[in-house]
Amino acid sequence: FLKQAGYDFFMSRINSLDPLFLNFLSSAGVSPETFVNTFKRTLSRPDLISRPESVEFQDIFEEYRQINQKLSAILAAQSNQICDLIADNKGLDKRSYTKKNVPNWLDASKLKLKQEGPDVFFKMDEKGDPLYKFTRTRLALKTKSGHAPPDHEFFDLCEQTLELSQVLAVNLQSIKIEFISFLKAELEQMKAKEGVCFFDDLVNDLAGALVSGKGTSLLQAVKKDFKACLIDEFQDTGKQEMDFLQGL
């Protein structure tokens, strides 16, 4: 049931999304299996509240593609100029921005743009793609106090890529929140159709009955039919079960 619900969500909601966002999801290791394994625990806690309850999904994919095109054009024509700007800057940490590293980082970024095309996604963090090294954020971190980092349109575009990557991460959060609601609703429909319930349903249905208007009658009926309770694996007994046992 869980596997089917995961694939249903991806077929109906994910597979038709923008190819650039799908590349981002792939790089983040997102799949029906990872979503189900991450969020199936929410099913046993119907009282669990997600925070935030909703996040806006933003369509920034065409803007991201336009930046990719500009990056590609600049790297094709001005890589040497960018290398010189960095080499000549007196405040930049040359132990990081060495004469070997900088052209290698630029070449790697150029190659990725060429191989993967306009829908390419860059992982913009220290352990990600080398394009991150040319963001305004990173250049400022590696520039000595009292000095100005090198200035070029290329660095502005890299910073914009970093900002849009953060929006993509928020979009992923939006999808996760949507999936939690979908998973619960889809499973309820599937179980009702097949006439089955999970173990957690037994526990949660009992908890719901106990706090209902007929909770006292239920306790009295259980006391009448059962004279003792045996608790197996006491450390695994949940709060709802313990509340019920204490009520007995």
Side-chain angles (χ1 to χ4, degrees), residues 14-158:
I14 302 299
N15 292 353
S16 60
L17 291 175
D18 191 281
L20 196 151
F21 189 63
L22 294 180
N23 286 341
F24 165 73
L25 294 180
S26 177
S27 72
V30 171
S31 69
E33 291 80 9
T34 58
F35 262 34
V36 167
N37 289 334
T38 300
F39 298 111
K40 64 183 180 181
R41 288 170 290 182
T42 63
L43 298 171
S44 62
R45 293 289 306 276
D47 59 328
L48 198 65
I49 300 175
S50 299
R51 290 287 186 266
E53 294 185 10
S54 64
V55 174
E56 180 184 1
F57 188 96
Q58 300 183 54
D59 185 352
I60 47 84
F61 311 118
E62 190 56 38
E63 181 182 358
Y64 198 113
R65 268 188 284 270
Q66 290 175 2
I67 292 174
N68 281 342
Q69 291 175 355
K70 293 177 181 179
L71 287 170
S72 182
I74 289 177
L75 285 170
Q78 302 182 44
S79 288
N80 291 337
Q81 180 183 344
I82 294 169
C83 288
D84 292 341
L85 280 173
I86 291 176
D88 295 342
N89 188 278
K90 303 300 182 182
L92 199 59
D93 182 5
K94 297 304 191 298
R95 291 173 299 180
S96 177
Y97 291 86
T98 66
K99 292 183 178 180
K100 179 180 179 180
N101 282 342
V102 172
N104 286 343
W105 291 339
L106 292 172
D107 287 342
S109 302
K110 187 191 305 183
L111 181 62
K112 184 166 184 175
L113 282 160
K114 181 179 179 180
Q115 290 179 335
E116 300 186 31
D119 293 331
V120 61
F121 160 76
F122 288 98
K123 186 177 181 182
M124 300 297 282
D125 57 41
E126 197 63 45
K127 296 182 179 180
D129 289 299
L131 191 74
Y132 170 74
K133 305 294 194 302
F134 301 101
T135 60
R136 292 284 185 187
T137 296
R138 215 269 186 168
L139 289 168
L141 287 174
K142 295 296 182 177
T143 301
K144 299 175 185 177
S145 177
H147 293 76
D151 184 40
H152 194 280
E153 180 189 5
F154 177 69
F155 307 139
D156 294 326
L157 292 170
C158 292

Side-chain angles (χ1 to χ4, degrees), residues 1 186-196:
F1 281 15
E186 186 79 356
L187 282 175
E188 287 303 316
Q189 292 182 11
M190 294 169 69
K191 288 185 292 185
K193 182 179 179 180
E194 298 294 332
V196 299

